[in-house]
């Protein structure tokens, strides 16, 4: 098939999270024909799939914003120039035609043709680390939570949170004001979370059970209690709980992207200062990238997306300005 007979896009963005959405917005600013491909059923990436109720604190203009609300405004912004959006498509292969200079992205539903690619896949597909103690599998979805969709599920309930990282502390701050009681079970006495958040959580009426692990979940149709064990004294006790939030980590996998001939560093894609990978015309932005001095924040990622778009635009049209000026100087409607 000739390049003329194919529907070829200027920029195809792999990933519909906040970085991909802002990349689509900025590609519209640069008048690029743009496509977004995402494996999920809706836009928003991890913000939608994993923690729609959590507050986000690292976006300019928002002292704090709930993830689902941030997604809503970023979708409105990202789709302002009507990019093509392809959801529930898992990317598989990336091929390059040297004669035409066109990339072909093969997915679970077909093929897409593009002059450049921007990978904004976050840290890839995420699967929560599952708790494997007796009773948990049987009650999964009936009081056992790995992802929180609605905070109202915890109102007036006796809740237990397992974990000591940012997610555990963040959910402590969210759940404590509405729960009947809240206990945090952590296997150590040191938390891997932001110091300010830990201090704030410690000031709440929350029972922190340190040096404890969950040994068993109890209940018939729904969780009723959990048994915990002190790792030092070996003492066990059973505490009442209708809801158990498990925050013991996620396993990430960039999947087929690892077979695209890209230089990787610990499951992340190496980029240069242009956000370009070792494959010409293939860029990356956001948490999926690795370079010296990388800071993993949404705010950093959206800036990287702008850099990638500008260099992709200049590659497509060498006569275009690399930096077209500030958005306040442009006729954006």
């Amino acid at each position: 098939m000739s390049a003329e007979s194919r529907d070829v896009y200027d920029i195809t963005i792999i990933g519909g999270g906040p970085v991909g959405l802002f990349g689509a917005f900025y590609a519209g600013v640069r008048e690029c024909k743009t496509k977004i491909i995402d494996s999920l059923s809706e836009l928003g990436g991890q913000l939608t799939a994993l923690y729609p109720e959590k507050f986000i604190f690292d976006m300019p203009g928002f002292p704090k914003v709930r993830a689902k609300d941030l997604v809503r405004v970023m979708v409105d912004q990202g789709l302002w120039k009507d990019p093509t959006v392809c959801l529930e498509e898992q990317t598989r292969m990336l091929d390059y035609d040297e004669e035409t200079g066109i990339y072909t992205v093969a997915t679970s539903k077909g093929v897409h043709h593009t002059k450049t690619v921007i990978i904004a896949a976050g840290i890839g597909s995420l699967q929560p680390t599952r708790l494997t103690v007796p009773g948990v599998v049987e009650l999964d979805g009936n009081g056992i939570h790995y992802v929180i969709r609605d905070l109202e599920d915890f109102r007036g309930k006796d809740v237990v949170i397992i974990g000591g990282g940012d997610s555990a502390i963040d959910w402590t701050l969210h759940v404590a004001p509405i729960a009947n009681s809240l206990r945090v079970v952590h296997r150590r006495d040191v938390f891997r979370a932001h110091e300010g958040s830990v201090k704030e959580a410690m000031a709440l009426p929350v029972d922190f059970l340190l040096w404890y692990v969950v040994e068993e979940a109890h209940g018939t149709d729904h969780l009723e209690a959990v048994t915990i064990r002190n790792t030092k004294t070996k003492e066990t006790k059973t505490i009442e709980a209708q809801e158990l939030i498990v925050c013991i980590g996620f396993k990430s996998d960039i999947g087929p992207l690892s077979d695209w001939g890209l230089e990787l560093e610990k499951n992340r894609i190496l980029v240069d200062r242009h956000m370009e990978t070792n494959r010409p015309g293939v860029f990356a932005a956001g948490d999926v990238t690795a370079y010296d001095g990388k800071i993993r924040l949404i705010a950093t990622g959206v800036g990287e997306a702008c850099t990638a778009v500008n260099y992709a635009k200049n590659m497509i049209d060498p006569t275009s300005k690399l930096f077209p000026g500030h958005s306040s100087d442009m006729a954006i409607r």
Side-chain angles (χ1 to χ4, degrees), residues 157-219:
K157 304 286 186 64
D158 296 310
V159 182
V160 172
I161 295 176
I162 309 173
D166 283 315
S167 290
I169 294 299
D170 286 347
W171 287 127
T172 298
L173 297 174
H174 284 71
V175 173
I178 63 172
N180 178 58
S181 69
L182 176 59
R183 296 179 175 92
V184 176
V185 176
H186 183 34
R187 61 188 176 86
R188 301 173 59 200
D189 63 351
V190 176
F191 291 90
R192 306 177 316 280
H194 290 292
E195 296 91 339
S197 296
V198 173
K199 185 177 180 180
E200 186 179 351
M202 288 290 187
L204 295 172
V206 173
D207 188 7
F208 284 87
L209 300 168
L210 305 179
W211 300 108
Y212 276 92
V213 294
V214 171
E215 285 235 309
E216 187 173 358
H218 309 278

Side-chain angles (χ1 to χ4, degrees), residues 106-124:
T107 73
S108 56
K109 292 187 176 180
V111 295
H112 307 268
H113 306 291
T114 185
K115 298 174 184 176
T116 62
V117 176
I118 298 176
I119 302 170
I123 57 176

Side-chain angles (χ1 to χ4, degrees), residues 36-162:
I36 302 172
I37 301 174
D38 197 281
S39 62
L40 299 175
S41 60
E42 55 186 318
L43 293 168
Q46 296 172 35
L47 300 189
T48 298
L50 297 182
Y51 40 82
E53 289 285 351
K54 282 182 69 174
F55 283 113
I56 306 299
F57 298 94
D58 63 347
M59 279 300 288
F62 295 98
K64 70 175 183 178
V65 57
R66 216 173 284 278
K68 63 183 180 182
D69 296 327
L70 178 61
V71 167
R72 177 176 50 79
V73 295
M74 293 201 75
V75 167
D76 287 344
Q77 181 184 48
L79 303 188
W80 78 296
K81 278 278 189 169
D82 297 319
T84 298
V85 177
C86 303
L87 298 176
E88 297 185 282
E89 292 199 35
Q90 292 77 38
T91 53
R92 292 179 175 168
M93 299 295 295
L94 179 67
D95 293 319
Y96 181 68
D97 187 330
E98 292 188 6
E99 184 177 342
T100 62
I102 302 298
Y103 277 102
T104 297
V105 180
T107 73
S108 56
K109 292 187 176 180
V111 295
H112 307 268
H113 306 291
T114 185
K115 298 174 184 176
T116 62
V117 176
I118 298 176
I119 302 170
I123 57 176
S125 63
L126 286 177
Q127 293 295 326
T129 302
R130 298 278 168 172
L131 194 63
T132 57
V133 301
V136 167
V137 174
E138 294 83 353
L139 292 169
D140 197 351
N142 293 299
I144 309 294
H145 305 266
Y146 295 93
V147 175
I148 294 177
R149 294 289 183 182
D150 189 350
L151 274 175
E152 289 301 310
D153 291 340
F154 307 96
R155 185 173 295 279
K157 304 286 186 64
D158 296 310
V159 182
V160 172
I161 295 176
I162 309 173

